[in-house]
Amino acid sequence: MDIAVIGSNMVDLISYITRMPAEGETIEAPDFALGCGGKGANQAVAAARLGSEVLMVTRVGDDLFAANTVANFEANGIDTTFVLPTVGTSGVAPIFVDEQSRNSIIIVKGANASLTPADLEAAEAEIARCRLIVVQLEIPIETVHAAIDLAVRLDVPILLNPAPATHGLDYARVAQCEYFVPNETELATLTGMPAGTTNEITAAAAALIEKGCRNVIVTLGSRGVLWVSTDGEVLIPQDNPVEAVDTTGAGDAFIGCFAHEVTHGSTVHDALVAANAYAANSVTKRGTQTSYASREDFTAWRR
Ligand code: ADP
């Protein structure tokens, strides 16, 4: 196994709209798509499509969405031993995407809220065989903290994507992560520092480095990514010229590709360059997982 993803799965209910509805207003969406999503599942699928062996640790409900989610993991070659059943609803995410590709997303955590530290203990032997653990914040915060503790105990590097932006993350544990990968909003929420300009982002990331983080990787949307480590900061601009159609799930594509690359011999810098390209490719297509290229398609596109 290359990567253990400990995180969420959601069923995306995506309405493509011409503009956002006002309060109390009903509008018609010209198009709709149902897709498999959730930050954990998205990152797992991106890494698996690129060729990684991925173990998914997550919970699904006992509704009509669960079988579809498991089938989707299997279709992508992901190990579903620890896709655990829960009484109740699966996670669902109603998403609105407008003509300027801006999005609004509602998260119903459902079964994801029932992923416990005990579930991680049950999967410990399998997680111990992985070369990287990847975790996000769509599961209970105590499970995120337990994942970091487990990573430290097993001596497996861990990547924490603090998304969606949440208060209550334990700073001491954040400092134990090999890779901490927020976007600008998440960085501002976590540090309580402004993260509007490049200087502000650099200062906020540097504050995390001072607390002990090894690699703070701030995704900057169409501008690319800023990597801050004890060696200083490196801006890796988005130099893949693309026309963005739908940026939903771009951050997850980025992390899935980065995780794949660093578990397959790439340096952090090279992995970030590849992740910028993979995420750029994903924004040229609609949807979340539907926009993630296979290794073959990605390789052909990059040439
Ligand atoms: P999130 O989706 O988590 O908010 P970002 O918006 O920072 O994250 O995007 C993650 C990565 O996706 C960026 O670092 C970049 O590589 C790529 N990306 C996002 N938006 C665009 C865009 N409009 N054009 C090209 N690449 C993009």
Side-chain angles (χ1 to χ4, degrees):
M1 253 334 135
D2 299 316
I3 302 165
V5 177
I6 298 169
S8 62
N9 70 88
M10 300 268 169
V11 175
D12 290 342
L13 309 165
I14 311 165
S15 296
Y16 293 96
I17 56 179
T18 49
R19 62 177 176 81
M20 293 292 164
E23 187 182 337
E25 185 188 22
T26 301
I27 62 167
E28 193 177 320
D31 208 356
F32 175 82
L34 189 144
C36 291
K39 291 180 190 297
N42 291 344
Q43 294 169 15
V45 165
R49 290 212 178 134
L50 287 165
S52 277
E53 286 185 15
V54 181
L55 173 75
M56 186 73 208
V57 182
T58 192
R59 280 195 171 269
V60 290
D62 60 357
D63 49 19
L64 78 174
F65 297 125
N68 187 55
T69 296
V70 173
N72 178 59
F73 283 136
E74 287 172 350
N76 283 286
I78 292 168
D79 187 321
T80 58
T81 310
F82 291 95
V83 177
L84 304 166
T86 311
V87 175
T89 180
S90 293
V92 292
I95 298 174
F96 302 111
V97 181
D98 76 8
E99 284 176 332
Q100 282 78 46
S101 79
R102 291 178 295 218
N103 59 52
S104 293
I105 304 175
I106 296 168
I107 301 292
V108 182
K109 283 189 175 178
N112 295 297
S114 302
L115 189 71
T116 63
D119 295 334
L120 308 192
E121 279 170 33
E124 183 171 327
E126 281 77 2
I127 294 170
R129 284 199 283 270
C130 295
R131 281 182 278 160
L132 179 70
I133 297 170
V134 176
V135 65
Q136 324 74 27
L137 302 183
E138 286 179 337
I139 56 174
I141 199 82
E142 60 268 24
T143 308
V144 173
H145 290 159
I148 298 169
D149 294 346
L150 184 65
V152 171
R153 184 150 49 82
L154 297 175
D155 199 22
V156 176
I158 186 164
L159 181 159
L160 172 58
N161 169 222
T166 311
H167 292 282
L169 252 187
D170 175 17
Y171 250 127
R173 286 189 171 95
V174 167
Q176 291 175 309
C177 295
E178 184 68 28
Y179 308 107
F180 183 69
V181 191
N183 67 15
E184 295 146 281
T185 313
E186 292 146 6
L187 180 68
T189 302
L190 187 90
T191 58
M193 294 169 72
T197 65
T198 304
N199 281 347
E200 287 172 349
I201 293 165
T202 306
L208 291 173
I209 296 293
E210 268 167 38
K211 287 193 188 294
C213 277
R214 282 182 284 278
N215 296 284
V216 179
I217 293 164
V218 189
T219 61
L220 307 173
S222 59
R223 288 179 293 139
V225 60
L226 181 77
W227 171 34
V228 183
S229 70
T230 44
D231 294 337
E233 74 265 6
V234 182
L235 178 70
I236 300 163
Q238 178 55 282
D239 56 7
N240 301 275
V242 291
E243 196 175 322
V245 172
D246 181 357
T247 60
T248 317
D252 296 334
F254 183 95
I255 286 168
C257 180
F258 177 78
H260 169 76
E261 290 289 329
V262 290
T263 52
H264 288 79
S266 290
T267 62
V268 173
H269 185 275
D270 289 352
L272 293 173
V273 171
N276 250 351
Y278 191 75
N281 176 268
S282 82
V283 307
T284 64
K285 289 168 275 178
R286 274 186 169 191
T288 47
Q289 292 177 21
T290 48
S291 70
Y292 298 168
S294 66
R295 183 172 47 183
E296 294 71 30
D297 289 348
F298 178 52
T299 306
W301 178 83
R302 268 187 108 184
R303 278 203 195 102

